[in-house]
Amino acid sequence: QVQLVESGGGLVQAGGSLRLSCAASGRIRFINSMGWYRQVPGKQRELVASIPSGGSTNYADSVKGRFTIFRDNAKNTVYLQMDSLKPEDTAVYYCNAFVWVDISDGRQYWGQGTPVTVSS
């Protein structure tokens, strides 16, 4: 019904920047919150940043001041601008969205993940 497709991951040197994109498509009535999570092998998936349909953004302490999340509601797309990247930011990044496909059916969806590698 709903697909989240991420792009923008890759390899970058420490101190560099990347921008991740996540486009939602399919049967979409309304998208509530959107966000980015990341996961490294052997650890739990953790929230990086989230943005509601209206209101303030939320960031993990480890990325505050370096990452910026923003969205284009007309395109059903969320972005994560990552600056001043550090090796510890290396992970697979997953897009997440809470999507209402009709007035009584809302649920979370995940993207397939995009890897980010930061070399020292």
Side-chain angles (χ1 to χ4, degrees):
Q1 277 187 323
V2 176
Q3 298 80 40
L4 301 182
V5 178
E6 300 130 334
S7 61
L11 174 64
V12 65
Q13 287 189 329
S17 298
L18 283 175
R19 178 177 290 187
L20 306 183
S21 301
C22 172
S25 62
R27 185 183 168 195
I28 297 171
R29 182 181 179 95
F30 176 73
I31 300 178
N32 195 345
S33 63
M34 302 186 82
W36 291 93
Y37 288 71
R38 66 186 180 188
Q39 189 170 24
V40 297
K43 292 191 176 181
Q44 284 191 327
R45 193 172 296 188
E46 63 174 3
L47 175 68
V48 176
S50 63
I51 181 169
S53 59
S56 60
T57 54
N58 181 48
Y59 295 94
D61 288 342
S62 59
V63 306
K64 283 181 181 176
R66 300 188 297 120
F67 291 11
T68 303
I69 188 170
F70 56 101
R71 62 192 281 180
D72 184 336
N73 291 328
K75 296 182 178 179
N76 291 328
T77 300
V78 63
Y79 304 90
L80 185 68
Q81 177 66 39
M82 305 186 293
D83 299 318
S84 302
L85 282 160
K86 303 176 181 180
E88 50 263 45
D89 295 317
T90 296
V92 177
Y93 284 70
Y94 295 89
C95 174
N96 172 275
F98 194 93
V99 181
W100 294 88
V101 299
D102 63 44
I103 198 169
S104 61
D105 185 1
R107 67 188 70 177
Q108 280 199 85
Y109 292 87
W110 292 91
Q112 79 284 359
T114 185
V116 171
T117 303
V118 184
S119 62
S120 56

